[in-house]
Amino acid sequence: MKGLGADRTGALAKSLAGRDKGEIFVIIQENREYVFLADGKGRPAGEPKRKNKKHIQVICKGLDHKEKLTDEEIRRLIRCYKRESQV
């Protein structure tokens, strides 16, 4: 997670621990200790999952955006990443 700058909002992250281990999420928000993650389906942007920063791995910088991401945009980001990583 180091080297990406202070704000990782909009980045794609992979869960390293918990029931969702291996799942891909988008970082919606972060604070000093936690990140808030959404996948647009089970975890919509309106109800993000709080996860300890040490339990995720940032895998892609994602978008530079000013307004909030919609669930549709989050699903599209994750789908595109998965499609490109399989090639």
Side-chain angles (χ1 to χ4, degrees), residues 1-2 4-18 20-38 49-60:
M1 289 185 13
K2 294 179 182 174
L4 287 177
D7 188 23
R8 290 180 276 272
T9 303
L12 291 173
K14 183 177 185 178
S15 174
L16 299 176
D20 57 6
K21 182 177 180 180
E23 295 294 319
I24 307 294
F25 294 94
V26 174
I27 299 174
I28 300 298
Q29 181 184 359
E30 72 174 310
N31 63 26
R32 193 168 153 231
E33 202 173 331
Y34 297 101
V35 290
F36 296 86
L37 307 170
K49 176 177 184 59
R50 183 183 81 166
K51 199 153 184 86
N52 192 310
K53 286 184 178 183
K54 66 182 178 181
H55 293 154
I56 66 159
Q57 176 184 13
V58 176
I59 54 176
C60 184

Side-chain angles (χ1 to χ4, degrees), residues 67-82:
E67 60 276 346
K68 291 188 175 188
L69 291 170
T70 65
D71 290 329
E72 184 178 339
E73 291 170 327
I74 291 170
R75 289 190 303 266
R76 187 171 28 87
L77 274 172
I78 294 170
R79 188 172 49 243
C80 289
Y81 173 78
K82 286 180 177 179

